[in-house]
Amino acid sequence: MSDDALFLFLTTSIIYFKEEEEDRSDKEEVIKDKTSINIMTQKQQTTISLQVKNLSYAYPMEPSEIIKDFTLELPKGSRCLLSGANGAGKSTLLQILAGKTMVAEDKVRVLGRPPFHDFNLSCSGELSYLGSQWRRNVGSAGGDVPLAGDFPARQMIFGVENVDPERRERLIKLLDIDLDWSMMALSDGQRRRVQICLGLLKPYEVLLCDEITVDLDILGRLDLLKFFEEECEERGATIIYATHIFDGMHDWMTHLAFISNGELKYGQGGRKEDIEEIKGIDHLLSTIEDWLRVDRDETKARKLLEGPKKRVDPYAHFGSRQMSYYGC
């Protein structure tokens, strides 16, 4: 082999091994980065129960979004009061968090998992949602007809499997439920008590409440809030509680999220100690009232500026109104 050929061979070998070493070091750095990210994610999952990241949502056939660039993060053991005017997006948000409405997997995480795509969250009882009353629309009787049947409350409550008997008895006493109540002969408040009991039978990790105490009397509401507080402090459960009743809520809540036009305002859903507007106040009602009045005035001004709302014709892309029934 000539000297030139030998020199070329040695040079090429040195370059090759140098590139191999650089590639190996790059791969090691990538592995280190991924490992650190995974460690951070695992640490975050041990402290964060619920995370919403830049969530926007609009109903089908609606031109505007009801949830806009919404971001919220709640640690384990927190009790978040969710407030806002009617139509602000509270119920829509809770339904998304409960996995009843589909959004992108990376937008909402409950216990580190997407609630819509991971249905085991709800099936296992880790994620529990208490929302609208048991009602339905009946064509011949109109809407908002209570769901009822000729069977006792005992049959519904004891029909739930894999339940701790002590927890069940505690809830029955807490909610003052008569197991012999006929489910077709109850008041709205009594029916609500049975609904709440069923939703709380299994120990949840995250609980979403959408105005569930509106039908309860004062004692029933206060006893339930005390039970929720114990669940958070003793088991580390996380609760989001939407309501328009603010008696006792200032001391009960740990976080406050006020929604205005689909967006978070006044503290961004943070700890109540960090929200300047409610520091040093004794009654939350007066502050929320001021926020709602500002929100109402801003909504009126925005509607005047936007003009009449343009609605999307749901039949526009169908051949006819009749054929839209068949999707043609």
Side-chain angles (χ1 to χ4, degrees):
M1 180 182 292
S2 65
D3 293 341
D4 292 340
L6 179 62
F7 176 77
L8 180 62
F9 172 76
L10 292 175
T11 304
T12 305
S13 300
I14 293 172
I15 294 174
Y16 173 78
F17 286 114
K18 186 176 181 180
E19 289 178 350
E20 283 288 315
E21 185 177 355
E22 290 177 352
D23 290 342
R24 191 180 301 111
S25 62
D26 289 342
K27 289 179 180 178
E28 290 176 353
E29 289 296 327
V30 170
I31 292 173
K32 287 180 181 179
D33 291 341
K34 289 184 176 180
T35 303
S36 63
I37 290 173
N38 289 334
I39 292 174
M40 290 176 63
T41 303
Q42 291 173 1
K43 288 182 178 179
Q44 190 181 47
Q45 290 179 4
T46 60
T47 58
I48 302 300
S49 285
L50 186 143
Q51 190 175 43
V52 184
K53 188 175 181 180
N54 304 121
L55 172 66
S56 295
Y57 179 79
Y59 284 109
M61 305 298 177
E62 288 292 333
S64 59
E65 297 174 334
I66 191 168
I67 302 293
K68 303 174 182 177
D69 196 25
F70 192 96
T71 298
L72 177 67
E73 189 173 276
L74 294 176
K76 290 187 176 182
S78 58
R79 301 182 296 275
C80 180
L81 172 63
L82 183 62
S83 181
N86 293 331
K90 301 186 300 299
S91 295
T92 300
L93 175 65
L94 290 177
Q95 289 172 4
I96 292 174
L97 299 181
K100 298 181 179 298
T101 302
M102 185 177 71
V103 295
E105 292 188 41
D106 60 338
K107 294 299 181 182
V108 177
R109 293 281 170 166
V110 176
L111 303 177
R113 294 136 68 188
F116 180 88
H117 301 84
D118 190 345
F119 55 85
N120 285 326
L121 269 172
S122 298
C123 294
S124 65
E126 294 174 281
L127 172 61
S128 183
Y129 170 78
L130 294 175
S132 58
Q133 301 180 33
W134 295 337
R135 294 179 178 271
R136 59 181 174 177
N137 295 330
V138 179
S140 59
D144 206 30
V145 178
L147 291 171
D150 190 12
F151 47 84
R154 182 193 311 274
Q155 182 176 335
M156 296 193 71
I157 294 174
F158 282 82
V160 181
E161 300 178 349
N162 303 321
V163 172
D164 179 11
E166 293 184 3
R167 183 178 178 88
R168 178 169 53 204
E169 290 301 319
R170 182 186 180 188
L171 287 169
I172 291 172
K173 292 180 180 179
L174 173 73
L175 295 166
D176 195 20
I177 295 174
D178 185 343
L179 294 175
D180 294 324
W181 278 344
S182 172
M183 295 304 297
M184 66 178 300
L186 297 181
S187 68
D188 288 342
Q190 291 171 328
R191 186 178 293 104
R192 175 71 79 173
R193 288 171 184 265
V194 176
Q195 179 191 10
I196 294 173
C197 180
L198 290 173
L200 302 180
L201 282 175
K202 293 186 177 181
Y204 50 83
E205 295 295 327
V206 175
L207 175 65
L208 309 173
C209 303
D210 191 1
E211 300 189 48
I212 61 170
T213 58
V214 66
D215 297 319
L216 300 184
D217 57 37
I218 295 176
L219 291 179
R221 178 177 175 274
L222 293 177
D223 289 344
L224 186 62
L225 290 177
K226 181 63 177 177
F227 174 78
F228 287 158
E229 187 173 352
E230 293 174 357
E231 290 275 270
C232 294
E233 294 179 353
E234 296 174 5
R235 296 198 302 105
T238 301
I239 298 176
I240 298 183
Y241 186 92
T243 184
H244 293 290
I245 305 173
F246 302 109
D247 291 342
M249 296 305 297
H250 184 271
D251 295 331
W252 181 85
M253 69 179 185
T254 61
H255 293 67
L256 174 61
F258 184 87
I259 301 183
S260 174
N261 191 33
E263 300 175 338
L264 270 179
K265 295 182 67 175
Y266 308 114
Q268 305 297 314
R271 299 189 315 146
K272 65 179 180 181
E273 293 85 357
D274 300 330
I275 302 176
E276 293 293 336
E277 291 84 354
I278 62 173
K279 285 184 177 180
I281 66 170
D282 295 325
H283 302 287
L284 188 63
L285 175 61
S286 58
T287 302
I288 298 292
E289 179 187 359
D290 293 339
W291 292 353
L292 288 171
R293 292 189 182 280
V294 172
D295 177 72
R296 184 183 61 182
D297 295 339
E298 290 178 349
T299 300
K300 288 181 177 180
R302 184 174 58 254
K303 287 182 176 180
L304 287 175
L305 185 63
E306 293 175 353
K309 186 177 181 180
K310 296 180 180 179
R311 296 190 61 86
V312 178
D313 182 7
Y315 309 104
H317 60 286
F318 295 115
S320 67
R321 181 182 294 265
Q322 289 76 20
M323 294 308 295
S324 67
Y325 177 81
Y326 302 99
C328 301

